[in-house]
Amino acid sequence: MANKQGFAAYPPKVVQTEILGYVEDVNSIFYSRDIGRSFELFGNIYLKFGDTFCNNSKGEFVGLASNTVAIIEDAKQPLKSKYLEVEENGFIKPFIQLTSEAHKLEESKLGRVALWAFGGVVEMEDGTGRLWYQKSVDHGSGNLEYFGTGVAKVIESWSEMPIAHRMDNLIFGPDEPRMGTFTAIVNGDFIYLYGDRPDGKIILARVYKGRYEGRLADKEAYYYWGGDDWVQDWRNAAVVIEGMQQGAIVRSKLFGEERPFVFVGTSKWADSQVFMGASAKLEGPWKLEAVCKAEGINEPTSKGKWMYCIYPQLWASDEENAELMVTWSEQCPGGVVAAKIKLAGVGFEGLGT
């Protein structure tokens, strides 16, 4: 249905929030995990997770994977995901593969290699995907050594499980911006990538998504929004978003043709607030406001916990009825919680009161 005005009033106002439950695996094993960001590739819907505490069928812990991916086999059952490759002992095959050097480091007990991808997966012209990830080594006791940001190519394996193969070396070092690890979106001929500068403020880059895909691993191929034009030095980039920790920018019909790009996410302040906003352009301006509070199930805020990794799930939403499915992560040992958010429709008279 075409609707130039959109289906939800702007600025957004939440009139009802309903907790739907945990996103759980069809094998009925509960995994403590976070992120839970979705992407569509190879004709399937997938959920990408961060740290995943793997258990066997007896509920016994068998290992920690820093990233995993599961398929949604039935979009009408959005809370049911399925891991496609699980080892005999119950350990889940990671989404982003470790190198032999990384395996040796972990075997030596000198640290755990953490490859975290908060920014989503974008589809290329050949049907494969790309994601930007952060590489760190966790030395324990809160000692996390960050190395930089890289890009990985996502292909489909024999089991339909997508596999992310890292491309060459890291693009950005530890003292450079983490482009693409906040959120990424394709628009026209370019991939637009949002990422934190070293000071935590978010800037925007773009890179051509055409046939010369190898350039995605070339730092010189990235140009940054400088406020008036695109510049090659990230130090001259304009800040486009402040105060947000995680979130996604998606193309949506919610707020009409004049505001096709919608942000849903959460702040850096551990306040469990769901922030929303919309813009005519990817470079903004972005006015983001808290619209409701995320709550846990087994790890609620009343226990001193907070919710993070808040993402929209458009594939499980009813935009024409101004309803969004949103997921967020509880703190460990929690999981990924799904909720339905009902927004005020166009013409809602309570705005501004």
Side-chain angles (χ1 to χ4, degrees):
M1 179 188 297
N3 188 326
K4 292 185 177 181
Q5 294 184 26
F7 304 99
Y10 195 85
K13 180 179 178 63
V14 171
V15 296
Q16 184 180 9
T17 302
E18 178 188 356
I19 302 293
L20 301 176
Y22 284 113
V23 178
E24 297 181 312
D25 198 89
V26 295
N27 64 15
S28 299
I29 297 174
F30 181 81
Y31 300 102
S32 178
R33 54 190 181 180
D34 62 6
I35 300 184
R37 181 165 181 159
S38 64
F39 65 94
E40 297 183 41
L41 208 63
F42 316 123
N44 298 317
I45 301 167
Y46 300 97
L47 288 176
K48 177 168 56 65
F49 299 98
D51 280 346
T52 302
F53 291 79
C54 305
N55 301 316
N56 60 23
S57 58
K58 298 179 181 179
E60 300 167 334
F61 176 70
V62 297
L64 174 60
S66 68
N67 59 84
T68 57
V69 64
I71 192 171
I72 299 291
E73 293 184 304
D74 183 356
K76 294 181 180 179
Q77 297 187 59
L79 274 62
K80 293 294 184 181
S81 63
K82 180 181 180 180
Y83 283 123
L84 295 173
E85 291 195 37
V86 181
E87 296 178 6
E88 288 186 8
N89 69 348
F91 186 76
I92 301 161
K93 184 175 181 178
F95 179 32
I96 309 173
Q97 303 298 290
L98 292 179
T99 63
S100 58
E101 291 80 5
H103 281 295
K104 291 178 181 177
L105 176 69
E106 295 194 341
E107 290 170 359
S108 69
K109 308 298 183 183
L110 295 177
R112 176 177 74 97
V113 178
L115 304 174
W116 292 320
F118 297 92
V121 175
V122 299
E123 185 173 7
M124 305 299 289
E125 292 180 350
D126 64 358
T128 62
R130 296 293 184 276
L131 66 82
W132 284 256
Y133 65 90
Q134 302 174 25
K135 178 184 176 181
S136 301
V137 172
D138 186 354
H139 297 286
S141 302
N143 181 11
L144 189 68
E145 183 181 7
Y146 173 64
F147 284 85
T149 295
V151 63
K153 180 177 182 178
V154 182
I155 62 173
E156 187 177 25
S157 71
W158 60 270
S159 67
E160 292 190 53
M161 173 182 167
I163 299 293
H165 290 291
R166 288 184 276 169
M167 299 170 62
D168 300 323
N169 298 317
L170 297 174
I171 308 170
F172 301 99
D175 299 318
E176 295 179 306
R178 306 182 182 196
M179 303 316 304
T181 66
F182 181 77
T183 192
I185 182 172
V186 170
N187 189 42
D189 293 330
F190 294 92
I191 304 169
Y192 291 79
L193 305 116
Y194 298 76
D196 292 60
R197 297 187 316 197
D199 64 0
K201 295 181 179 180
I202 296 170
I203 59 176
L204 171 64
R206 74 178 188 182
V207 61
Y208 181 60
K209 76 172 182 70
R211 60 189 302 179
Y212 303 109
E213 295 173 7
R215 295 213 68 198
L216 296 180
D218 180 1
K219 190 187 305 184
E220 304 304 318
Y222 292 73
Y223 283 77
Y224 306 86
W225 179 244
D228 297 308
D229 203 353
W230 297 92
V231 298
Q232 197 164 17
D233 189 340
W234 66 265
R235 297 170 186 83
N236 296 325
V239 174
V240 293
I241 294 176
E242 292 191 62
M244 295 295 109
Q245 184 70 23
Q246 294 109 12
I249 292 173
V250 295
R251 187 179 284 99
S252 172
K253 302 176 291 185
L254 273 174
F255 303 115
E257 294 180 359
E258 293 184 357
R259 301 182 185 92
F261 301 109
V262 175
F263 173 87
V264 179
T266 192
S267 77
K268 295 179 180 292
W269 316 124
D271 54 11
S272 302
Q273 294 292 327
V274 178
F275 279 76
M276 290 189 67
S279 178
K281 299 179 180 180
L282 288 168
E283 54 266 34
W286 290 99
K287 184 180 180 181
L288 307 178
E289 297 182 350
V291 295
C292 65
K293 187 175 182 178
E295 188 52 89
I297 299 175
N298 292 336
E299 304 299 328
T301 56
S302 61
K303 292 173 62 175
K305 301 297 184 76
W306 65 84
M307 310 301 123
Y308 64 104
C309 285
I310 297 178
Y311 297 109
Q313 309 289 353
L314 287 188
W315 57 274
S317 301
D318 185 353
E319 294 176 84
E320 294 183 3
N321 284 314
E323 293 179 351
L324 273 180
M325 192 178 97
V326 177
T327 56
W328 49 72
S329 299
E330 297 175 324
Q331 286 184 277
C332 190
V336 173
V337 177
K340 182 172 70 175
I341 292 177
K342 175 67 174 178
L343 297 167
V346 173
F348 181 74
E349 295 180 356
L351 293 175
T353 61

